[in-house]
Amino acid sequence: MECDILVVGAGIMGVTTAYYLKKRDPSKKILIIDKYAGPGQGNSAKSEGGYRNMFTSDTNYLLADTSLDFFLHMQEEMGYDIKMDPIGYMWLFNEDQFTSLKGAIDHMINRGIEVVVYDRSEIEKMIPALVTDFGEDEEAEILGLKNIDYGVFGKKCGSLDADALVRAYEAEFIKLGGKVQYNTEVKRIHVKPEMELGIPGEPFVWQKKVITGVDTNKGEIKAGTTVIACGVWASELLDPIGLDSFMKPKKRQLFAFKDPKIEPVMKTIGLNSEGALPLTILPIAGILLKSELTEGSIWLGCADWIPRKFELEEDPQAEEDYYTNNVYHALVMYFPNFEDVRPMNSWAGQYAINSFDETPVIYKEEGLIYVGAGSGSGIMKGDALGRIAASLYFGEEEAELYGGQKFRVADLGVHHRKIEPEKFVI
Amino acid sequence: MECDILVVGAGIMGVTTAYYLKKRDPSKKILIIDKYAGPGQGNSAKSEGGYRNMFTSDTNYLLADTSLDFFLHMQEEMGYDIKMDPIGYMWLFNEDQFTSLKGAIDHMINRGIEVVVYDRSEIEKMIPALVTDFGEDEEAEILGLKNIDYGVFGKKCGSLDADALVRAYEAEFIKLGGKVQYNTEVKRIHVKPEMELGIPGEPFVWQKKVITGVDTNKGEIKAGTTVIACGVWASELLDPIGLDSFMKPKKRQLFAFKDPKIEPVMKTIGLNSEGALPLTILPIAGILLKSELTEGSIWLGCADWIPRKFELEEDPQAEEDYYTNNVYHALVMYFPNFEDVRPMNSWAGQYAINSFDETPVIYKEEGLIYVGAGSGSGIMKGDALGRIAASLYFGEEEAELYGGQKFRVADLGVHHRKIEPEKFVI
């Protein structure tokens, strides 16, 4: 089989990249392959589906903000039901945390990001089920819990259906004549000399090399350009040819709750039109909750830091103990309604974390384009990433993001990367 | 066992870090452990031993230049026979390569780096055995070889004995009362809650964590600070606790030649006081040769790029075919004296490559300091890296390098890293 561009991976980055490549040059023969049976089945569809434009790095802000605008356009004008629900993001902080982030918060506000700062008394009114002050509570002290002194609320933030989003891009790509082939697993990337001599041992060190496609479980696919957009699996393909994916996989678990006891937690006042719990981040351990309006449930996750290992798992699972004998201890102190409530469902996915700057990486190398290292916010930046990867393919220095904003392609690259520390990470 | 600072790895970065920590605070109980039977036995002693201050990134220049000054001081005033031999580095380029590097070369010269540019006729006189112009040669065209139009020669460059260098620092460390324990392999790094509760399941996500030492094949070692300086093995220890080493291991092979036929190759005119072949880099594939004066031989290496895999190998070996059926084809065209000459010896080591900027990484995280990602030039920067790691331990924003030059510690860190593209990489 032969094509102009082969995209390995039908997750968010693969489908957006393929879509913008095809849209910009419909004459190109573009094929997406994925080892799973459908789009987004690696980690995209396992995402908690939070979205936000609240980032302190200008790069992250631009990538997300313009992507969110396009997602809204898809929902409102292109007819895709991706369940974008602007319930907001509420980051809860104690005094010290807030002080250390004050400069970053001001930067976001000055940049025009819709961010509102609330004090404790306001938060108590808005989220009545939340305990904000542990007073002299001995257990809270033993657990090292932090009071809630401030809430930083982002308005252009909320929840979307990541699975539906990936399928929407796939559908648009197919509408343009793009091809998709599932259950097709890449075994290895082909590196060939640019000018083959037909001598055993090629490619030799002194030959100019080029990536010419891949071997799969269904045979060889030759491609003018091979796009590696397979998330946490990228190292499995890139390591054997000595290219870097700039990411390491880390498991993240999600737990869904539906119980009359936690109904008070789901009710808030004045934060969004549904009176629903925003995606709320507790001031400790990156514990986050969000209301999932379509199923009337609450989803809970936690930003695992050390000692949560970096490891590629084929089929990561939620751990039974992780909620009941770990997150729960702290959660129930902030939201006492969770007492004795057990998850009705749980699952796990993996983040592809670039620990340098928690920002995606896009580079080109001799017939290959890599799009990856989403670092947990790749879905909400997906539209911009697809446009940037397409610009890189077409040799442009700047990509045009949705809305007309320009973006320097090399800012996400390797050797001329723009490194900006991101202070708002979960 | 218990110590203030445990240094894992007795390679160049481990011994320099331990030495400067101990030198600055002799009261600290500092222990170096290594899984091998002596210092430098991982990859340091397998190095080709080239050193240079020719770097286009200011960071790399400062790290190397000041380290080389200290190495010279060790040799001339401290009595260590580390065989520093300023034979120079000669980078050979064709017209196009030279043109694209012209700005970087000017930058080095303006910065005060002793660099001389030679044209073809000068190079032909200086290195008589070298073929610089392939004319209409059909084989050269088929191989895609490049003519040599320019040579960029660095004077504060040459060859040293990496094994002796590591042993010198180890000896100084021991003189100060530092302890070293070999054949001691780390099994895992301990991550504990800062305040232990004695409940099963600790550390919980909501607890503040700290690294408290390691388990080894000889039992537990508790440490106030654990320094991870074990080169390509760092990921094996850091991945399981979810910290990043920012490097991937790649094999590099070296071949030693001693044959009357190549004696003409070893003779040069006007480049160094011995009339010896400088460390010479051919304009193709990063093939490098250097004269090894102590044994009257030539060492040859090659900068493997794609498709040389990233992979951790416990005991990497040189591949028989790699010289005879690969590098040789190009080498013999530039140096015909190599015809039918076979290596008398060969070995292999591994580079710990940080593909972002080919520059080392030093960071601190809750009781742990990481020093690594040498990217093939860690030895020649070793003195500065040890001083910077020590400054990080003592909480200083700036380190003082040998000669008094200041260096911002965060420049080698993660979130505030100073990224500068390096144009002179082998």
Side-chain angles (χ1 to χ4, degrees):
Chain A
M1 207 190 296
E2 223 168 324
C3 57
D4 296 312
I5 305 170
L6 172 71
V7 177
V8 179
I12 183 70
M13 295 193 202
V15 295
T16 59
T17 300
Y19 169 59
Y20 284 111
L21 285 166
K22 188 74 184 169
K23 192 174 172 189
R24 293 191 53 182
D25 187 351
S27 75
K28 293 273 187 242
K29 208 176 148 188
I30 305 178
L31 172 67
I32 302 177
I33 58 174
D34 197 288
K35 66 174 169 177
Y36 292 111
Q41 297 309 297
N43 284 302
S44 290
K46 293 174 176 172
S47 160
E48 108 251 6
Y51 72 79
R52 58 172 163 135
N53 72 344
M54 286 175 85
F55 287 96
T56 61
S57 119
D58 290 345
T59 296
N60 284 333
Y61 164 68
L62 264 181
L63 297 177
D65 192 67
T66 62
S67 293
L68 299 181
D69 286 340
F70 190 78
F71 296 167
L72 205 61
H73 169 71
M74 289 177 104
Q75 177 161 291
E76 296 187 346
E77 283 146 64
M78 294 169 70
Y80 288 102
D81 183 18
I82 57 171
K83 299 188 175 57
M84 267 188 103
D85 200 349
I87 51 175
Y89 262 47
M90 177 66 92
W91 302 71
L92 300 170
F93 298 116
N94 76 354
E95 188 76 47
D96 289 351
Q97 293 172 316
F98 181 76
T99 304
S100 77
L101 288 168
K102 191 74 182 66
I105 294 164
D106 288 344
H107 174 75
M108 290 196 287
I109 292 170
N110 293 337
R111 216 193 179 311
I113 305 177
E114 292 172 276
V115 167
V116 187
V117 176
Y118 295 111
D119 65 20
R120 181 189 291 170
S121 69
E122 291 170 304
I123 296 163
E124 284 174 348
K125 281 177 213 144
M126 292 169 143
I127 313 179
L130 178 68
V131 173
T132 58
D133 184 352
F134 297 110
E136 304 291 305
D137 187 300
E138 213 173 291
E139 196 180 342
E141 207 188 316
I142 290 170
L143 299 188
L145 300 189
K146 294 174 167 73
N147 285 340
I148 293 165
D149 299 311
Y150 291 96
V152 181
F153 185 70
K155 288 188 175 178
K156 193 171 170 177
C157 305
S159 171
L160 57 73
D161 182 338
D163 185 41
L165 180 70
V166 173
R167 289 178 192 275
Y169 278 101
E170 187 214 27
E172 287 295 306
F173 170 68
I174 290 170
K175 249 193 230 173
L176 294 172
K179 299 285 177 227
V180 180
Q181 186 183 301
Y182 291 106
N183 301 305
T184 303
E185 184 167 7
V186 174
K187 298 298 177 193
R188 63 187 192 94
I189 296 173
H190 285 291
V191 180
K192 297 232 165 106
E194 203 172 47
M195 289 186 300
E196 258 180 296
L197 303 174
I199 304 172
E202 288 185 272
F204 299 115
V205 290
W206 37 267
Q207 286 178 304
K208 189 160 160 42
K209 282 128 201 136
V210 63
I211 282 107
T212 58
V214 301
D215 270 343
T216 76
N217 60 336
K218 296 186 173 167
E220 188 180 345
I221 302 175
K222 288 184 184 165
T225 295
T226 302
V227 176
I228 299 298
C230 52
V232 297
W233 290 276
S235 299
E236 282 196 328
L237 299 182
L238 293 176
D239 277 355
I241 61 164
L243 289 177
D244 207 320
S245 64
F246 300 106
M247 69 83 209
K248 290 193 183 239
K250 195 174 266 203
K251 180 162 87 174
R252 287 288 165 97
Q253 307 173 48
L254 286 170
F255 299 86
F257 299 86
K258 199 170 180 174
D259 191 304
K261 281 196 243 170
I262 57 166
E263 269 166 27
V265 177
M266 302 177 71
K267 289 189 182 116
T268 64
I269 297 153
L271 289 170
N272 49 48
S273 61
E274 291 94 342
L277 185 72
L279 193 148
T280 300
I281 301 124
L282 296 181
I284 197 154
I287 297 171
L288 63 90
L289 301 92
K290 72 159 190 174
S291 47
E292 182 60 21
L293 296 174
T294 48
E295 59 178 37
S297 62
I298 286 181
W299 285 13
L300 176 140
C302 181
D304 276 309
W305 193 56
I306 61 168
R308 171 64 59 184
K309 65 189 165 192
F310 284 125
E311 186 187 40
L312 179 63
E313 285 185 78
E314 201 45 50
D315 186 21
Q317 297 296 324
E319 296 148 16
E320 232 192 288
D321 252 29
Y322 187 72
Y323 173 73
T324 51
N325 186 34
N326 196 339
V327 176
Y328 176 81
H329 301 145
L331 175 71
V332 75
M333 299 289 288
Y334 287 103
F335 285 112
N337 298 87
F338 269 92
E339 196 173 344
D340 295 331
V341 175
R342 296 233 158 207
M344 67 161 183
N345 193 9
S346 64
W347 66 100
Q350 294 196 292
Y351 277 12
I353 300 180
N354 162 12
S355 302
F356 257 128
D357 58 9
E358 287 89 21
T359 298
V361 175
I362 300 180
Y363 69 76
K364 182 155 81 172
E365 200 72 89
E366 310 299 345
L368 179 144
I369 287 178
Y370 172 66
V371 194
S375 306
S377 56
I379 291 170
M380 64 184 91
K381 295 170 186 165
D383 188 75
L385 298 175
R387 291 170 193 259
I388 294 164
S391 284
L392 184 59
Y393 175 85
F394 290 111
E396 298 157 357
E397 282 188 23
E398 284 192 327
E400 188 174 316
L401 306 185
Y402 185 64
Q405 183 90 38
K406 301 276 195 258
F407 189 93
R408 195 177 147 259
V409 173
D411 283 357
L412 293 185
V414 176
H415 292 300
H416 297 276
R417 187 173 184 80
K418 183 176 172 195
I419 296 259
E420 293 174 280
E422 175 55 56
K423 307 255 186 195
F424 275 62
V425 178
I426 1 177
Chain B
M1 209 190 296
E2 221 167 326
C3 56
D4 296 313
I5 304 171
L6 172 69
V7 177
V8 179
I12 183 70
M13 296 194 201
V15 295
T16 59
T17 300
Y19 169 59
Y20 285 110
L21 285 166
K22 187 76 184 168
K23 191 173 172 192
R24 293 190 53 181
D25 187 351
S27 75
K28 293 274 187 239
K29 205 175 150 189
I30 304 178
L31 171 67
I32 301 177
I33 59 173
D34 197 288
K35 66 174 169 176
Y36 292 110
Q41 297 309 295
N43 284 303
S44 290
K46 294 176 177 173
S47 161
E48 107 252 4
Y51 72 78
R52 58 174 164 132
N53 72 345
M54 283 176 88
F55 287 96
T56 61
S57 118
D58 290 346
T59 296
N60 284 333
Y61 164 69
L62 265 180
L63 297 177
D65 193 68
T66 61
S67 292
L68 299 180
D69 286 340
F70 190 78
F71 296 167
L72 204 64
H73 169 72
M74 289 178 104
Q75 177 162 290
E76 296 188 346
E77 283 146 63
M78 293 169 71
Y80 288 103
D81 182 17
I82 57 171
K83 299 188 174 56
M84 268 188 104
D85 200 348
I87 51 174
Y89 262 47
M90 177 67 92
W91 302 71
L92 300 171
F93 298 116
N94 78 352
E95 188 76 47
D96 288 350
Q97 294 172 316
F98 182 75
T99 304
S100 79
L101 287 168
K102 190 75 182 63
I105 294 164
D106 288 344
H107 174 75
M108 289 196 288
I109 293 170
N110 292 338
R111 220 199 175 307
I113 305 178
E114 291 172 276
V115 167
V116 188
V117 176
Y118 295 112
D119 64 19
R120 180 189 292 168
S121 68
E122 292 171 303
I123 296 163
E124 284 174 348
K125 280 177 213 143
M126 292 169 144
I127 313 179
L130 178 68
V131 172
T132 59
D133 186 352
F134 296 111
E136 304 292 303
D137 188 300
E138 214 174 290
E139 196 181 343
E141 207 189 314
I142 289 170
L143 298 188
L145 300 188
K146 294 173 165 73
N147 284 341
I148 292 166
D149 300 309
Y150 291 95
V152 180
F153 185 70
K155 289 187 174 178
K156 193 170 172 178
C157 304
S159 171
L160 58 73
D161 182 338
D163 184 43
L165 180 71
V166 172
R167 289 178 192 275
Y169 277 102
E170 186 214 25
E172 287 295 305
F173 171 68
I174 290 169
K175 249 192 227 171
L176 294 172
K179 299 286 178 226
V180 181
Q181 186 182 301
Y182 291 107
N183 302 306
T184 305
E185 184 167 6
V186 174
K187 299 297 177 192
R188 63 186 193 95
I189 297 173
H190 285 293
V191 180
K192 297 232 166 109
E194 202 171 48
M195 288 188 301
E196 259 181 293
L197 302 174
I199 303 173
E202 289 185 271
F204 299 115
V205 290
W206 38 267
Q207 286 178 304
K208 189 161 159 40
K209 283 124 201 139
V210 64
I211 281 109
T212 58
V214 301
D215 270 342
T216 76
N217 59 337
K218 295 184 173 168
E220 187 180 346
I221 303 175
K222 287 184 183 166
T225 294
T226 302
V227 176
I228 299 298
C230 52
V232 296
W233 289 276
S235 299
E236 282 196 326
L237 300 182
L238 293 177
D239 278 354
I241 61 164
L243 289 177
D244 208 320
S245 65
F246 300 105
M247 69 84 206
K248 290 191 183 241
K250 195 173 265 202
K251 179 162 86 171
R252 287 288 163 98
Q253 306 173 49
L254 286 169
F255 299 86
F257 299 87
K258 199 172 182 173
D259 190 305
K261 283 196 243 171
I262 57 166
E263 268 165 30
V265 177
M266 302 175 72
K267 286 187 186 120
T268 64
I269 297 153
L271 288 170
N272 50 48
S273 60
E274 292 95 343
L277 185 71
L279 193 148
T280 300
I281 300 121
L282 296 182
I284 198 155
I287 297 171
L288 64 90
L289 301 91
K290 70 157 192 175
S291 48
E292 182 60 23
L293 296 174
T294 48
E295 58 179 36
S297 62
I298 286 180
W299 286 12
L300 176 139
C302 181
D304 277 310
W305 193 56
I306 62 168
R308 171 64 60 185
K309 65 190 165 191
F310 284 125
E311 186 187 41
L312 178 63
E313 285 185 79
E314 201 45 48
D315 186 21
Q317 297 295 322
E319 297 146 17
E320 233 192 288
D321 252 29
Y322 188 73
Y323 173 73
T324 52
N325 185 34
N326 196 339
V327 176
Y328 175 81
H329 301 146
L331 175 71
V332 76
M333 299 289 288
Y334 288 102
F335 285 112
N337 299 89
F338 269 93
E339 196 174 344
D340 296 331
V341 175
R342 297 231 156 210
M344 67 160 184
N345 193 8
S346 64
W347 65 100
Q350 295 196 291
Y351 277 12
I353 299 181
N354 162 14
S355 301
F356 256 127
D357 58 7
E358 286 88 22
T359 298
V361 175
I362 300 180
Y363 69 76
K364 181 154 82 171
E365 200 71 88
E366 310 298 344
L368 179 142
I369 287 177
Y370 172 66
V371 194
S375 305
S377 55
I379 291 170
M380 63 185 92
K381 295 170 185 165
D383 189 75
L385 298 176
R387 291 170 194 258
I388 294 164
S391 283
L392 184 59
Y393 175 85
F394 290 111
E396 298 158 358
E397 282 188 24
E398 285 193 326
E400 189 174 316
L401 306 185
Y402 185 64
Q405 183 90 41
K406 299 277 195 262
F407 188 93
R408 194 176 148 260
V409 173
D411 283 356
L412 293 186
V414 177
H415 291 300
H416 297 276
R417 186 170 185 81
K418 183 178 173 192
I419 296 259
E420 292 174 281
E422 175 55 55
K423 306 253 183 197
F424 275 61
V425 177
I426 1 176

